[in-house]
Amino acid sequence: MKNKTVKLMAVFMAVAMAMTACGGSGGDSKESSGDNQEKSSAEESGKEEESSAEETGSEDAGSGDAGADEGGSAAANIPAFEDIEFADALPVNPPMADDVNYDYDDMSVHYDLVFQTYSYGEVMPENDPIKKWLEERFNVTLTLITSAQQDYETTMSTMFAGGDTPDLVMFTKPDTAFVIGGQGLLVDAREMYPYMPQTCKFVTKTMIKATTMDNGEIPAVTKYSIQDSDGWNVSFRQDWLDKFEMSIPTTQEELLAYAHACTYDDPDGNGVDDTYFILGAGSGKSLQMLNGFAPFFGNPAYTVGDDGKLSVPMMNGSTENFLKFVNALYTDGCLPSDWYTIQWEEAKSYWLNDRLGAVHAPNMIGEYCSHFINDENKSDLEYFEKLVNTWVYSDKAPVEGGKGSAGGSLGMLWSIPKKNVEGDQGKMLRILHMLDEMCYGGEAYFNTVQGGGNEVYAADGYDQDVRFFNEDGWQVISKTSEHPSDAGQYGASGLALAPWQNFGFTTKWMANYVREEEDPDDPTKVERDKLSAEANDKANAAMAAMDRWPADALLYSTAGLEGTEMLTEFVNAEQYKFIVGERSFDEWDAFVQEWLDQGGATIVRSVAEQLGCELPDGVE
């Protein structure tokens, strides 16, 4: 048996037993967060006949044994799941939906639909303007059920146990979908993706593997997340680079030379050695910001090596080389005395007051500028231009051969309960049509995110939003203070309508927009906004374009394994010792053995089993 997250085990088992008692059909549930599928999903689950039906567009394609009637029609150009070319990574410049159509959906047929997602702490308004817009656009009567985010998984699982399920449900983690899908209660996503051409552009091969069960079935469709981890990167001081006559580092030697200069070459010109390269800001518990450099020394995830054995960061040199780099910074005095103990918010006093030469964080240009701009210097455009260009992000790793941290984490997982579409393929197709249009680049995207756009509020006479995709595919969303959702017209705040963003929103590709209304009290505001927008867009584009490791960590789970509860605390403590010289790197092999003995071996064996590969040398 593969390992499963222990803290979820009791809940899932109870739900699975309850669903079985309610008549759920049996099936193989995937018990980890990934499995390396080497055969096509059609071959593994014996679905050749269904795949053929999908490829020819016959009425039997779509909802498994549900068949097709009552308004369902499949277009002849619907591909088989096996013919869909999923990408290796999410796109840098996202594609639009110009080349998609939904001829398979008979829009003359009306459907009553119930969708479920979580809320953001506010009750949905009775006169929900986004719901009304969707109903008119898609010829449906729509009910949206929401529950508190912290209770969502339990609430949704209870619904399945009771047999009363919405037509579309959302999961926030694969484990829950695997348990319920393993009971045969969910439509196989291999029958859903062919009808979601826009969504498929944002699904990677790794995402497919991570959401595939042991029996080859996929219990949910997914795409990008609302906020992805690749929005973080290392930023350098451009003015300090200029003073040192250096370029942005691209090798470890250049990076260490820049770190030394930040500390000893008086970049702020005050004649005092009070500047540093970077710090940790992990509150004495972790390396925090410095961990952002780890991917530059190798893939931080467990992977399958060319020899078919599990490649472990702690054992393949990547973690050791990363810590040697941090040790070099510490030994050279490039870290302040409180680099390890200081908290994140307190650490901002360093970089906001020009005492650090590098920061690993999301785009922070706006925060830096707001710290310095005041009434006295607002009109000084030359000064502001220097501010917005102080911090620069690169699209390349600052160490040769390195890559950025993985992007492409799983987003929301959407599933359709089988019993809700049995005998009515058209109902399933309408749901998929709606989901796909709400995907990034789709025609319903802007009216279901950020409180809804002008079309949603046309009856209210509101038309002040600016929403469009620019030539690179990046989104521009600019609202005014009069936007009805923010003005309290439809709820206590915009959060009342925020659950709709779960269906498609992402912050991954956001561009800035400047409204050119002049302000007589602040005549340079528009020009400052343009300078800020240009600098921020440049930074975001660099982070998006960076070559990053694939999201291999989606394919396995290491959480909750018995005997590993204290392992993270042990590793953090020992890593600190290596950095500050309390342990010599000559002891690295001994440390690795200590790590294996204290729970590392349990993790290694579990991941190797989940990925279906051999154990590394030194682990039995």
Side-chain angles (χ1 to χ4, degrees):
M1 294 290 288
K2 292 186 174 70
N3 291 296
K4 182 188 292 184
T5 304
V6 172
K7 65 181 180 180
L8 296 174
M9 186 69 163
V11 174
F12 290 164
M13 289 300 293
V15 172
M17 292 175 65
M19 289 187 291
T20 302
C22 291
S25 61
D28 292 331
S29 172
K30 185 171 187 179
E31 296 182 336
S32 65
S33 63
D35 190 59
N36 191 7
Q37 302 292 324
E38 296 187 359
K39 295 183 179 179
S40 73
S41 52
E43 291 174 337
E44 291 184 317
S45 58
K47 297 290 185 179
E48 291 88 346
E49 294 182 2
E50 289 183 19
S51 298
S52 176
E54 288 179 347
E55 189 170 10
T56 59
S58 74
E59 289 187 345
D60 288 334
S63 56
D65 59 359
D69 63 12
E70 298 185 26
S73 64
N77 61 351
I78 300 300
F81 173 79
E82 292 74 24
D83 293 334
I84 299 174
E85 290 291 332
F86 295 105
D88 293 321
L90 291 177
V92 174
N93 296 321
M96 299 295 99
D98 300 334
D99 59 344
V100 305
N101 67 72
Y102 303 100
D103 291 345
Y104 61 74
D105 184 11
D106 184 355
M107 293 296 291
S108 68
V109 180
H110 181 90
Y111 292 100
D112 294 334
L113 300 177
V114 181
F115 292 175
Q116 182 185 25
T117 185
Y118 60 64
S119 67
Y120 291 80
E122 302 236 2
V123 178
M124 299 293 292
E126 292 185 10
N127 185 22
D128 185 335
I130 296 178
K131 181 176 79 75
K132 181 180 178 182
W133 183 84
L134 287 167
E135 288 178 329
E136 293 175 353
R137 179 174 181 83
F138 292 101
N139 190 21
V140 296
T141 297
L142 188 58
T143 300
L144 181 65
I145 299 175
T146 63
S147 58
Q149 186 171 359
Q150 62 269 25
D151 303 324
Y152 178 75
E153 291 284 331
T154 301
T155 300
M156 180 272 306
S157 298
T158 303
M159 280 188 173
F160 272 94
D164 183 17
T165 55
D167 299 307
L168 179 70
V169 297
M170 185 192 82
F171 298 102
T172 59
K173 54 177 74 75
D175 305 72
T176 319
F178 292 153
V179 171
I180 295 175
Q183 299 298 309
L185 301 179
L186 302 174
V187 174
D188 190 341
R190 293 175 301 171
E191 301 166 12
M192 297 162 66
Y193 278 121
Y195 298 97
M196 305 177 74
Q198 185 63 12
T199 298
C200 288
K201 299 173 184 177
F202 299 92
V203 181
T204 67
K205 294 181 177 69
T206 304
M207 290 179 180
I208 291 295
K209 290 181 180 180
T211 52
T212 300
M213 300 193 300
D214 287 342
N215 64 0
E217 293 182 4
I218 305 174
V221 295
T222 187
K223 52 183 179 290
Y224 50 77
S225 62
I226 291 180
Q227 291 181 315
D228 208 350
S229 57
D230 60 9
W232 288 60
N233 206 346
V234 176
S235 181
F236 299 93
R237 291 281 305 226
Q238 183 63 60
D239 53 344
W240 292 11
L241 286 166
D242 293 342
K243 181 173 182 178
F244 305 146
E245 297 183 348
M246 294 180 175
S247 301
I248 296 176
T250 57
T251 68
Q252 183 173 347
E253 182 181 7
E254 293 174 353
L255 186 59
L256 289 172
Y258 173 70
H260 182 87
C262 290
T263 310
Y264 297 107
D265 289 1
D266 193 21
D268 60 356
N270 68 355
V272 180
D273 286 342
D274 59 353
T275 54
Y276 303 92
F277 172 58
I278 202 169
L279 41 62
S283 305
K285 299 177 181 178
S286 73
L287 300 181
Q288 186 66 10
M289 192 183 297
L290 283 164
N291 277 327
F293 286 79
F296 304 147
F297 295 88
N299 192 339
Y302 294 79
T303 58
V304 181
D306 294 336
D307 59 358
K309 298 179 180 180
L310 186 67
S311 181
V312 180
M314 194 75 81
M315 305 172 71
N316 64 18
S318 59
T319 300
E320 181 182 8
N321 289 332
F322 158 60
L323 292 177
K324 285 181 176 179
F325 165 74
V326 182
N327 169 258
L329 294 176
Y330 177 85
T331 302
D332 195 28
C334 298
L335 308 176
S337 59
D338 57 354
W339 69 273
Y340 191 72
T341 57
I342 194 170
Q343 298 180 13
W344 184 269
E345 287 301 316
E346 294 175 351
K348 288 183 178 181
S349 63
Y350 276 96
W351 72 74
L352 290 178
N353 290 294
D354 302 327
R355 297 183 63 197
L356 291 184
V359 174
H360 182 265
N363 192 338
M364 55 173 207
I365 293 173
E367 182 181 32
Y368 182 78
C369 291
S370 64
H371 180 74
F372 286 95
I373 285 293
N374 53 51
D375 293 337
E376 286 73 28
N377 57 32
K378 271 187 176 180
S379 61
D380 189 341
L381 292 179
E382 183 177 354
Y383 171 75
F384 187 77
E385 186 173 11
K386 287 180 62 177
L387 285 182
V388 297
N389 291 300
T390 296
W391 293 96
V392 59
Y393 291 84
S394 173
D395 61 356
K396 295 181 174 57
V399 175
E400 61 272 36
K403 294 185 180 183
S405 57
S409 58
L410 291 178
M412 306 300 183
L413 302 165
W414 297 101
S415 297
I416 298 176
K418 272 187 180 179
K419 72 179 187 65
N420 293 50
V421 293
E422 285 177 347
D424 193 352
Q425 186 200 31
K427 182 178 182 180
M428 185 188 82
L429 297 183
R430 182 64 51 80
I431 294 171
L432 300 181
H433 178 187
M434 293 178 68
L435 271 179
D436 206 51
E437 279 206 30
M438 288 191 276
C439 179
Y440 193 99
E443 292 191 20
Y445 178 80
F446 282 127
N447 286 310
T448 52
V449 302
Q450 299 288 74
N454 291 335
E455 291 181 40
V456 171
Y457 301 102
D460 297 323
Y462 177 81
D463 61 356
Q464 302 303 305
D465 272 16
V466 176
R467 298 180 180 224
F468 63 90
F469 298 108
N470 67 21
E471 61 184 10
D472 293 325
W474 286 52
Q475 63 183 335
V476 173
I477 300 177
S478 176
K479 299 191 298 182
T480 71
S481 59
E482 288 79 31
H483 190 279
S485 73
D486 293 329
Q489 186 170 336
Y490 288 94
S493 72
L495 284 179
L497 294 170
W500 289 112
Q501 76 179 14
N502 294 344
F503 292 83
F505 185 51
T506 180
T507 62
K508 188 178 181 70
W509 302 283
M510 295 201 78
N512 291 272
Y513 179 78
V514 178
R515 292 180 180 266
E516 301 219 9
E517 294 90 347
E518 297 293 341
D519 185 346
D521 297 323
D522 188 359
T524 63
K525 181 179 184 302
V526 173
E527 293 304 315
R528 289 202 317 273
D529 287 347
K530 288 180 179 179
L531 290 170
S532 179
E534 182 180 358
N536 278 282
D537 286 351
K538 182 179 179 181
N540 290 335
M543 285 190 278
M546 188 173 202
D547 187 17
R548 296 180 178 274
W549 296 107
D552 296 318
L554 294 177
L555 304 179
Y556 58 84
S557 173
T558 62
L561 295 174
E562 186 176 354
T564 66
E565 298 83 1
M566 305 298 293
L567 191 58
T568 298
E569 189 174 316
F570 165 75
V571 168
N572 288 339
E574 297 306 307
Q575 286 185 342
Y576 176 82
K577 292 178 183 177
F578 279 108
I579 291 170
V580 300
E582 293 180 11
R583 288 195 74 166
S584 167
F585 282 95
D586 293 338
E587 301 178 49
W588 184 259
D589 290 342
F591 162 63
V592 170
Q593 188 59 54
E594 294 168 12
W595 173 75
L596 290 170
D597 293 341
Q598 296 200 33
T602 299
I603 291 176
V604 170
R605 285 191 288 266
S606 174
V607 174
E609 182 182 3
Q610 292 175 59
L611 297 183
C613 65
E614 297 180 28
L615 291 170
D617 295 339
V619 180
E620 298 180 355

